[in-house]
Every structure is written in C-alpha cells, then in structure tokens.
C-alpha cells in the first residue's frame, strides 16, 4: 500500500480524519496478515516508510507508525505518505541458554556457610 492521506480536509474534523487514517492502516495490516504464508515463512513482516510526502519519507518500524502519524498531525501536517509492503518473515531460533550453576539456582543459600 502506497498512499497519501490528507490530514486536514475541508469540512471534516481533523481528529476524526486522523482516526480514519489509523483505522485504514491497521485494517490493511490485518488483511495482509490473513493471507496464506509462502512455504518456509513464519509470519508476515512489513517494510514501512512514512513522511509528510513521498520524497521526505523515511524507513520506519511498523510498531512506531501510529506514533509517527500522531506526531505529524500534532505538528500541523497537511498530509502524510504511508508505504506498507508486506513480505514473508522467518523467525530466528533463540540461542541455547547455558545451564545455571548450582549456587545461582538456589538464591538465599550461601556456599561459604559449609
């Protein structure tokens, strides 16, 4: 999705327009996450860009997108550019943890007491 949203259209309350933009972004992300995953993928990830216009858009984390939108609206921006491109992601396995030493496993016991 590549879209320019007007944040201050004439005849509409800016807060309601901002809520509609947020709803549209969340709805798109939900819809993309419902699609069938390709072979070997674990989840849908998103490449995001956000800015006041297409030329000034910068890479953003999908979790920070709504906060960036709020900040732009609070600063008085007239429009915003949102680019969300879904891509398959693969979860990385967690590294194996080292076994804990016996002294660390039992808090409150002191090895010097023996």
């Amino acid at each position: 999705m590549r879209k320019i949203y007007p944040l201050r259209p004439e005849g509409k309350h800016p807060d309601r327009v901002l809520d509609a933009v947020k709803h549209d972004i969340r709805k798109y992300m939900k819809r993309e996450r419902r699609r069938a995953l390709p072979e070997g993928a674990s989840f849908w990830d998103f490449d995001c860009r956000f800015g006041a216009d297409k030329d000034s858009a910068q890479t953003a984390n999908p979790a920070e997108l709504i906060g960036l939108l709020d900040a732009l609206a609070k600063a008085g921006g007239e429009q915003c550019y949102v680019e969300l491109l879904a891509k398959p992601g693969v979860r990385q396995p967690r590294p194996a943890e080292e076994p804990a030493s016996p002294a660390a496993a039992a808090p409150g016991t002191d090895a010097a007491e023996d």
Side-chain angles (χ1 to χ4, degrees), residues 5-9 13-15 17-18 21 69 72-73 77-80:
Y5 291 100
L7 297 178
R8 306 219 181 266
H13 196 279
D15 291 342
V17 173
L18 184 61
V21 171
L69 181 60
L72 181 66
E78 294 292 321
Q79 68 180 12
C80 69

Side-chain angles (χ1 to χ4, degrees), residues 10-29:
E10 193 168 324
K12 295 186 179 180
H13 196 279
D15 291 342
R16 300 299 72 80
V17 173
L18 184 61
D19 288 342
V21 171
K22 289 178 189 179
H23 176 75
D24 196 37
I25 291 170
R26 290 180 182 127
K27 183 173 70 172
Y28 175 79
M29 292 176 83

Side-chain angles (χ1 to χ4, degrees), residues 8-112:
R8 306 219 181 266
E10 193 168 324
K12 295 186 179 180
H13 196 279
D15 291 342
R16 300 299 72 80
V17 173
L18 184 61
D19 288 342
V21 171
K22 289 178 189 179
H23 176 75
D24 196 37
I25 291 170
R26 290 180 182 127
K27 183 173 70 172
Y28 175 79
M29 292 176 83
K30 279 184 179 180
R31 184 174 57 232
E32 288 298 310
R33 286 185 179 129
R34 283 193 310 258
R35 289 185 15 209
L37 285 167
E39 188 72 29
S42 304
F43 64 99
W44 284 109
D45 195 11
F46 293 92
D47 286 333
C48 298
R49 291 183 60 214
F50 180 83
D53 56 12
K54 187 175 182 175
D55 297 329
S56 68
Q58 296 181 354
T59 304
N61 187 341
E64 299 171 347
L65 202 57
I66 300 299
L68 292 170
L69 181 60
D70 285 334
L72 181 66
K74 190 176 280 191
E78 294 292 321
Q79 68 180 12
C80 69
Y81 173 77
V82 179
E83 181 177 316
L84 283 170
L85 302 174
K87 65 178 181 179
V90 178
R91 295 204 191 282
Q92 299 297 324
R94 290 185 182 178
E97 295 182 19
E98 296 178 17
S101 65
T109 58
D110 201 6

